[in-house]
Amino acid sequence: MSALECHLAFTYWNRSERRYAPLPDGVEVFARERDPITPDDTIGSGRIRGGQGQVRIAVADTGERRPEVYFEIRFGGAWLDPSTGTLVEGGEGGEQKQRLPSVWTTRNRYSEDYQRGLWTGEVGPQIGTVSDPVRFRVSFDCFVRFVEWDDEQGDFVGAEEGTAVTLVEHGLLDRKVLADSRLDDKGRALLSFCDDHEHRPDLSIELARPGAPWSSRDHFRLGSLTERGLWENHVGTRIGRWGSPYTFDLRADQPRRVPGNRAEPLIDGVEIRRAMLEAIDGAQRSIHMEMMLLFNDASGREVVDHLIARARDGVEVRIMFDVKTTGSSHSLATLKEIWTRVGRELSDEQRDAMLEALDVEREAERLRGDTSELRSRMEEVPNLTLLDSSFPYVEVAPWADGVEPEAYAELRKALPFFTVARIDHRKLLIVDGTHALTGGANIGREYLFERPFDPAVPAADEEWIKWHDCFVELQGPVVASLQSRFRERWVAEGGDAFELGTWARTAEAVSADHPYFPPIEDHPAGVPVSILDTTPGARMQIHEQLQTLLRAAKREILIENPYFSSREVLSLLCEAAQRGVRVICIFPDESNDSWDFMYAARLKYPALIEAGVEVYEYDNHMTHAKVAIIDDDTWIGSANLNHASFFNHYELAAVIHDAAHTKRFRERFFELDLKHSQRIALEDVEGLLDIKDWTRGYLRFVVDVWY
């Protein structure tokens, strides 16, 4: 076997300090080689040293094949005392003491970074480094919260304090309670248990509400009683985080396939613009628009003109968009400037040319990001209500005690880049409660245009830079789901609690021309559609269901997405490819407006390619589309493949469950895009990573984790 130097770190959830703390010094860790025939051999060992839970294990070179390595700790029945951070014999003397398994092994587990615990993926003679060890947790921790919508408060509130919650493992013939707790005054609970499973357990989370018990077995059934409702989505040994628990909305309908809908994909700005303006012009009773960005440029002014015209004709118009993020879009050029000055390996000539172009880009963005004139026009119009959906920025400080590279200090000055902002990232238009458009495009000249771009021609050679994007136009019963989500956001931002109509499920007859929730007939030859959303503090359906669909894929996964940093999705795509699913990913090339995400994705290319995933970069134009095909399902929405879209931002996705529809979309979208994309080979990757060492750390510990 080949020589190996292993650098590892082990942590556990310390209940007293409410953080992941290192295992104490002195704990011995063994490197083991799996052998399918004879008993597994110990091929190296080391003891944790230095107070950070880290250990170095050297495995001798015997000249044989590379071993299938896993790591093992033999606790022998010891317990952890969180108050002292030490191992003790027995659990007496305090409820806070945490039981440990007799033997803990990574063999059938996952590391903190979503890599399989049986280590077969190392390249070269090293696993981890001193400064960047491979990290494992020895506790299984579920941070959960249960909430209900309160219409009077216009917000989600925690379920009743003291309600019992349990974590249950389901076997073939029985069920076993692994952990139990009670909700605190905010509806939160920690379920932590000693993970001594040989395989990842089939879990469910159950809440003992008097008269209305709740179980995640129903929550994840995807509308079909024949589908598994167990929690199969957990990756690693944690569900949720202490500061951001996995949250469940107790009152909301669970994601379900609503039949009888017309679902028409709209590809690129010409189709999106035309459908949007036609829908607005055809409105008879109400128009509801929820956008992240609404720019003061030709496209933005055109859409606003049409909205104002309908409001003046008596149509009720409600609009909300993120004024702050629209106004700060110019700061993306500042972030690129930092990358250009200190983050990328560039020649002086390249650097000077980029900096000059960024000055022009920044000033143009500053001008169109000033929406004061647009807002003044809309605020003067009767029947039109405008709300600002901006949230405050929240700074993230991953470097303690001021110890940080000089370049990080520059990032701090260029807020909001070094922040995690709660953003309403949805793009949604609803007309008369029966007709909706949603997807990835905001309102601005790069998203909406009259003449199509030529994908074979560089964007800079066009009349202006245009982006590749996708929407879906929906008509049918599923529109009511979108309308209800708009209403939640509208009321939460201080808007009027407009009438629910049939959505309230009362016995009262509702007029067919109800302005918001009229009865909706099935569309002829309609297809089933599910609406999924991320609502911070309430629902994480996009994260839940995307993982479920990726795990269930049997034939193919086609993904196109601009901002990919999720290690969970990386792991799921690699697993799918390794079990024989054809997996194709298309990402932007240098046209990506976010170099953070461009390089975060490129750092993952080797793992994807080695697993058998076909990786492409779209030529010439920024692809901003957030779309996927998973077997017979088409996914179109606003969500990116990153932590922010899964947990921090408000997002929407429409999933069309129809094989014929998916076949047509595949032909119209993916097959055309592959003709205008370059396939990336393993040997190409290093040439795409013209970045310095510190930026790789920034991408891994900041972008991957928080963005």
Side-chain angles (χ1 to χ4, degrees):
M1 62 187 145
S2 304
L4 279 175
E5 184 172 302
C6 310
H7 296 276
L8 316 170
F10 295 87
T11 61
Y12 71 99
W13 178 254
N14 186 301
R15 295 174 184 168
S16 298
E17 300 177 4
R18 292 180 176 176
R19 68 181 182 94
Y20 278 101
L23 280 183
D25 286 358
V27 172
E28 189 170 14
V29 183
F30 300 90
R32 304 269 286 163
E33 179 181 9
R34 185 180 74 164
D35 192 309
I37 301 174
T38 63
D40 295 349
D41 293 327
T42 296
I43 55 178
S45 67
R47 290 189 181 273
I48 291 176
R49 298 279 187 255
Q52 298 299 314
Q54 292 189 217
V55 60
R56 174 185 175 273
I57 302 176
V59 177
D61 181 3
T62 64
E64 299 176 10
R65 62 175 176 80
R66 183 175 65 185
E68 291 187 340
V69 177
Y70 64 95
F71 304 104
E72 186 173 276
I73 301 175
R74 300 163 190 169
F75 289 109
W79 290 61
L80 266 167
D81 186 342
S83 62
T84 61
T86 59
L87 297 182
V88 295
E89 294 296 326
E92 295 78 12
E95 293 183 359
Q96 288 295 313
K97 290 183 180 178
Q98 297 170 228
R99 186 169 67 88
L100 294 169
S102 295
V103 177
W104 183 94
T105 169
T106 68
R107 176 167 172 170
N108 295 300
R109 289 172 177 79
Y110 292 68
S111 82
E112 182 176 291
D113 295 328
Y114 312 115
Q115 297 156 316
R116 284 197 70 84
L118 179 62
W119 196 271
T120 59
E122 81 279 1
V123 178
Q126 190 163 294
I127 296 175
T129 65
V130 173
S131 60
D132 186 15
V134 177
R135 300 177 184 275
F136 294 90
R137 299 189 185 95
V138 300
S139 57
F140 196 119
D141 309 291
C142 303
F143 305 93
V144 294
R145 184 177 184 230
F146 298 88
V147 299
E148 298 176 287
W149 174 258
D150 186 312
D151 212 45
E152 291 185 5
Q153 295 190 38
D155 202 354
F156 291 90
V157 297
E160 185 176 358
E161 183 178 2
T163 304
V165 56
T166 55
L167 187 69
V168 178
E169 178 188 6
H170 295 265
L172 291 176
L173 301 175
D174 60 355
R175 64 194 296 276
K176 176 183 178 183
V177 175
L178 299 178
D180 57 67
S181 184
R182 291 189 178 274
L183 301 186
D184 67 8
D185 60 344
K186 294 182 172 59
R188 301 173 303 185
L190 166 61
L191 298 161
S192 184
F193 70 96
C194 172
D195 181 16
D196 56 1
H197 293 74
E198 293 183 1
H199 303 283
R200 183 173 57 195
D202 285 334
L203 303 177
S204 72
I205 300 170
E206 299 180 359
L207 192 68
R209 286 195 301 171
W214 182 96
S215 171
S216 64
R217 294 194 72 175
D218 300 317
H219 192 83
F220 299 114
R221 273 189 173 144
L222 292 173
S224 170
L225 295 179
T226 62
E227 296 189 40
R228 291 174 68 88
L230 301 173
W231 184 283
E232 297 178 313
N233 301 358
H234 65 274
V235 181
T237 52
R238 185 189 68 202
I239 295 172
R241 299 173 184 266
W242 171 252
S244 179
Y246 215 101
T247 309
F248 302 95
D249 179 2
L250 294 173
R251 290 193 181 179
D253 281 355
Q254 304 314 326
R256 60 191 183 92
R257 302 179 183 188
V258 180
N261 303 281
R262 173 179 174 265
E264 184 63 35
L266 306 171
I267 299 172
D268 288 335
V270 173
E271 293 184 13
I272 299 170
R273 171 186 170 274
R274 181 174 59 243
M276 186 175 289
L277 295 181
E278 287 179 355
I280 293 170
D281 292 345
Q284 299 299 309
R285 296 176 295 278
S286 66
I287 298 173
H288 292 158
M289 176 176 283
E290 181 180 354
M291 284 283 160
M292 177 186 173
L293 306 175
L294 197 168
F295 286 109
N296 184 17
D297 59 17
S299 294
R301 290 189 291 271
E302 180 182 42
V303 172
V304 168
D305 287 344
H306 284 252
L307 290 167
I308 288 174
R310 296 311 296 141
R312 285 178 173 155
D313 286 342
V315 175
E316 290 189 64
V317 179
R318 294 177 175 87
I319 303 168
M320 57 180 166
F321 77 99
D322 189 334
V323 175
K324 180 189 290 185
T325 304
T326 301
S328 65
S329 64
H330 65 275
S331 51
L332 277 172
T334 304
L335 180 55
K336 287 183 179 179
E337 180 181 339
I338 295 171
W339 271 97
T340 302
R341 291 187 185 280
V342 299
R344 299 182 68 171
E345 299 285 1
L346 300 168
S347 68
D348 291 342
E349 184 178 355
Q350 288 174 315
R351 184 172 289 107
D352 290 344
M354 284 186 178
L355 291 174
E356 183 177 350
L358 287 171
D359 285 340
V360 175
E361 178 184 332
R362 179 167 37 237
E363 185 56 28
E365 287 299 294
R366 192 188 306 276
L367 290 173
R368 73 181 190 133
D370 181 356
T371 58
S372 55
E373 180 184 351
L374 278 183
R375 285 181 281 130
S376 295
R377 287 184 58 206
M378 288 188 279
E379 287 165 354
E380 295 172 355
V381 178
N383 302 318
L384 191 154
T385 307
L386 177 66
L387 293 180
D388 178 4
S389 62
S390 304
F391 286 90
Y393 293 120
V394 181
E395 185 175 358
V396 175
W399 295 85
D401 304 322
V403 180
E404 60 185 9
E406 182 179 347
Y408 274 57
E410 290 198 43
L411 284 168
R412 287 186 181 281
K413 296 174 186 176
L415 295 176
F417 307 127
F418 212 62
T419 63
V420 176
R422 176 166 288 187
I423 289 174
D424 188 341
H425 194 245
R426 295 171 180 173
K427 293 85 175 167
L428 175 63
L429 173 67
I430 305 171
V431 171
D432 295 338
T434 63
H435 184 184
L437 289 81
T438 191
N442 293 289
I443 295 178
R445 65 186 306 186
E446 65 269 60
Y447 304 101
L448 310 179
F449 34 86
E450 293 184 71
R451 289 185 292 276
F453 64 81
D454 183 346
V457 175
D461 294 342
E462 299 273 357
E463 52 194 330
W464 68 78
I465 291 177
K466 300 173 181 177
W467 287 9
H468 183 39
D469 220 320
C470 190
F471 249 50
V472 61
E473 185 174 17
L474 297 166
Q475 291 175 299
V478 79
V479 174
S481 297
L482 291 166
Q483 185 78 293
S484 72
R485 286 164 169 83
F486 175 87
R487 185 183 183 277
E488 277 181 1
R489 286 290 301 120
W490 183 259
V491 174
E493 289 296 337
D496 61 305
F498 57 83
E499 186 183 346
L500 280 165
T502 55
W503 197 255
R505 289 178 170 77
T506 64
E508 300 175 12
V510 177
S511 170
D513 61 357
H514 189 284
Y516 317 120
F517 289 96
I520 305 175
E521 299 288 336
D522 285 0
H523 200 278
V527 296
V529 177
S530 299
I531 299 299
L532 311 175
D533 72 285
T534 301
T535 297
R539 292 188 291 272
M540 299 171 178
Q541 295 170 348
I542 289 173
H543 179 255
E544 297 160 5
Q545 306 301 351
L546 178 61
Q547 291 195 84
T548 299
L549 290 172
L550 291 177
R551 288 189 191 283
K554 295 180 174 60
R555 301 190 313 276
E556 68 175 5
I557 298 170
L558 310 177
I559 283 178
E560 191 160 331
N561 201 280
Y563 311 129
F564 170 44
S565 63
S566 169
R567 298 175 194 166
E568 290 177 284
V569 174
L570 168 67
S571 176
L572 291 169
L573 294 176
C574 290
E575 287 179 15
Q578 289 167 342
R579 68 173 182 265
V581 177
R582 187 185 186 194
V583 183
I584 299 175
C585 294
I586 303 176
F587 305 116
D589 65 0
E590 291 275 340
S591 302
N592 199 324
D593 70 320
S594 171
W595 291 350
D596 283 26
F597 285 108
M598 179 179 74
Y599 287 118
R602 286 177 171 179
L603 283 175
K604 296 171 182 60
Y605 287 0
L608 290 168
I609 294 168
E610 289 177 346
V613 176
E614 299 173 38
V615 177
Y616 291 81
E617 288 192 347
Y618 189 70
D619 288 339
N620 296 322
H621 293 75
M622 166 63 170
T623 175
H624 191 251
K626 299 94 162 45
V627 300
I629 287 176
I630 304 172
D631 291 342
D632 293 332
D633 294 332
T634 299
W635 178 297
I636 301 173
S638 65
N640 299 303
L641 300 179
N642 57 32
H643 178 86
S645 282
F646 291 154
F647 304 111
N648 290 350
H649 294 173
Y650 292 85
E651 304 282 6
L652 285 173
V655 185
I656 300 100
H657 308 278
D658 184 78
H661 179 281
T662 296
K663 180 177 182 295
R664 292 192 298 272
F665 182 68
R666 189 188 200 284
E667 294 168 351
R668 285 195 63 209
F669 192 88
F670 279 100
E671 291 183 11
L672 289 178
D673 282 6
L674 286 171
K675 294 177 181 178
H676 297 287
S677 301
Q678 297 296 319
R679 185 167 181 180
I680 308 300
L682 192 59
E683 58 267 23
D684 300 329
V685 176
E686 198 55 40
L688 298 173
L689 291 170
D690 56 343
I691 54 177
K692 298 179 180 179
D693 288 342
W694 79 265
T695 53
R696 296 182 186 228
Y698 163 70
L699 292 167
R700 180 171 182 184
F701 294 112
V702 179
V703 176
D704 282 7
V705 173
W706 296 104
Y707 296 145

